[in-house]
Amino acid sequence: MDLRSKVLIIGGTGYLGKRLVKASLEQGHETYVLRRPEIGVDIEKIQMLLGFKKQGAKLVIGSFNDHRSLVEAVKQVDVVICAVSGVHIRSHQILIQLKLVDAIKEAGNIKRFLPSEFGTDPARMADAMEPGRVTFDDKMVVRKAIQEAGIPFTYVSANCFAGYMVGGLCQPGHILPSRESVILFGDGNKKSIFVNEDDIATYTIKTIDDPRTLNKTVYIRPPANILSQREIVELWEKLIGKELEKSSLSKQEFLNIMKDQGYAEQVGLTHYYHVFYDGCLTNFEIGDDAEEACALYPDIEYTKVEDYFKQYL
Ligand code: NDP
């Protein structure tokens, strides 16, 4: 008998969502993907969904505007993973998950729910700055609803997506590495953590049937990828055989630049501030009430930053 849970992925066409679908199929789970009627004639999304179907996923129709449809979708599976958008420069729909929590509560059959988190642990960001704290506050509202409804959960704290941060040498507004120059946050020495998005999806799917991760936060901290911005730059310099010209931005200079930006940009910049000036991803030890993914699943070969960089050569 196959004991692997049936999984429903919501937000499956997204940047992370599509990777979760792939990882779920690869790890042999019966995989369902929500198809929202609202996507209409978005041909890219439709084709992606049809592609998932070709690879063995089942498409389930359901809408956040139709409670019954969500309940019916949820009833077909054991585990729900939500990856709805939560990046202001793209789209931010975190609170829409409250409707999903209602549906999961009513359905009553879900063994595990993984809400759309996958970043900085919001529980550690009670003192975060405006306006970026909205991301953490909204994710905490969803957590509260999950816990009040008594829904079994796992929260995945995935630290920095490599595509955004490694690619741009940690500089806001950049996703490809310069061969000329780089601006460092202060001395560039605060440690951060960088994770390939495909690896985030692999670890996430690993957690869903693991009793050790039930009702816990799982941090993804690949040991070789706990690096400062300066170390990231040095890895790139080694690869291209050239030193970049470096300048530095003090905290105050950064804050001055931030206040002249639009709302969505300010939200993103707040996150950069906490990661690269405060070191918010690494300034704590993981306690007994949480787990670390690379320690739980040592057989997974994660992507090291130096290898991730090779695609940009
Ligand atoms: P995307 O912006 O790619 O969006 C994901 C999906 O959300 C969409 O494809 C869509 O799925 C669904 N969606 C969008 N709008 C709506 C809506 N109005 N109603 C219902 N569903 C909607 O998300 P990301 O992959 O960028 O983000 C996923 C998570 O990862 C978020 O929690 C985010 O905060 C986090 N994140 C973390 C980062 C880090 O560095 N740690 C970086 C980026 C994101 P569909 O149409 O298929 O239903």
Side-chain angles (χ1 to χ4, degrees):
M1 200 170 93
D2 190 350
L3 296 175
R4 277 172 288 199
S5 284
K6 292 185 200 171
V7 183
L8 170 64
I9 293 168
I10 294 177
T13 64
Y15 181 66
L16 184 65
K18 63 183 178 221
R19 294 173 163 86
L20 290 166
V21 174
K22 182 168 161 266
S24 177
L25 289 167
E26 276 173 5
Q27 291 182 38
H29 292 276
E30 204 172 310
T31 303
Y32 295 66
V33 184
L34 192 76
R35 175 168 79 74
R36 294 182 302 121
E38 290 81 9
I39 67 177
V41 293
D42 185 332
I43 190 68
E44 297 281 3
K45 285 197 179 192
I46 296 291
Q47 299 250 308
M48 199 188 295
L49 289 167
L50 292 174
F52 294 152
K53 201 168 119 193
K54 223 182 210 170
Q55 292 162 53
K58 296 184 172 67
L59 305 182
V60 195
I61 298 178
S63 168
F64 281 88
N65 301 320
D66 177 355
H67 174 71
R68 283 255 59 81
S69 72
L70 283 186
V71 174
E72 290 312 315
V74 161
K75 274 189 178 164
Q76 299 185 48
V77 297
D78 312 300
V79 170
V80 176
I81 306 177
C82 187
V84 294
S85 52
V87 176
H88 279 72
I89 52 163
R90 285 163 67 80
S91 154
H92 177 79
Q93 299 292 337
I94 294 301
L95 289 180
I96 209 172
Q97 293 179 101
L98 295 175
K99 297 183 182 181
L100 183 58
V101 171
D102 284 344
I104 293 173
K105 188 178 172 187
E106 184 177 328
N109 62 306
I110 290 304
K111 293 197 302 200
R112 198 84 69 99
F113 175 43
L114 282 68
S116 191
E117 291 243 350
F118 309 110
T120 305
D121 180 1
R124 295 187 173 274
M125 301 306 289
D127 297 325
M129 270 190 322
E130 296 284 3
R133 61 171 302 133
V134 64
T135 309
F136 313 122
D137 290 345
D138 285 1
K139 287 181 176 178
M140 287 308 283
V141 169
V142 175
R143 283 191 182 192
K144 186 164 176 276
I146 293 169
Q147 286 166 233
E148 281 176 2
I151 297 167
F153 63 85
T154 298
Y155 304 138
V156 176
S157 174
N159 296 305
C160 293
F161 283 17
Y164 281 98
M165 296 296 190
V166 173
L169 303 175
C170 312
Q171 301 166 105
H174 296 259
I175 49 173
L176 287 171
S178 168
R179 287 168 183 261
E180 308 301 328
S181 62
V182 62
I183 301 175
L184 299 174
F185 293 97
D187 59 13
N189 287 333
K190 278 275 188 266
K191 292 276 186 184
S192 181
I193 305 169
F194 305 88
V195 195
N196 174 342
E197 292 83 340
D198 291 321
D199 295 342
I200 294 172
T202 303
Y203 285 120
T204 299
I205 300 297
K206 275 284 193 190
T207 68
I208 64 179
D209 282 333
D210 187 340
R212 297 173 296 177
T213 61
L214 180 62
N215 295 336
K216 283 194 179 164
T217 297
V218 175
Y219 298 92
I220 309 179
R221 285 187 168 182
N225 293 354
I226 303 175
L227 299 164
S228 67
Q229 184 190 16
R230 196 177 276 279
E231 288 168 326
I232 289 276
V233 172
E234 283 165 6
L235 286 172
W236 176 237
E237 288 176 331
K238 200 172 152 204
L239 216 55
I240 61 172
K242 181 185 170 196
E243 256 191 50
L244 303 192
E245 198 180 295
K246 296 180 193 73
S247 53
S248 154
L249 209 55
S250 72
K251 271 189 188 190
Q252 197 50 53
E253 285 168 327
F254 181 88
L255 292 172
N256 291 344
I257 292 170
M258 187 173 126
K259 73 176 175 2
D260 294 330
Q261 308 290 313
Y263 176 76
E265 287 73 20
Q266 284 194 36
V267 169
L269 290 173
T270 311
H271 299 171
Y272 277 85
Y273 182 90
H274 288 302
V275 171
F276 294 107
Y277 287 113
D278 289 348
C280 71
L281 301 179
T282 54
N283 64 4
F284 63 95
E285 299 288 325
I286 298 172
D288 292 338
D289 56 342
E291 297 289 344
E292 196 286 309
C294 304
L296 288 177
Y297 314 112
D299 294 345
I300 294 177
E301 259 191 61
Y302 65 82
T303 313
K304 293 188 177 162
V305 167
E306 57 203 271
D307 293 323
Y308 193 84
F309 265 135
K310 288 182 184 154
Q311 66 186 305
Y312 302 114
L313 285 174

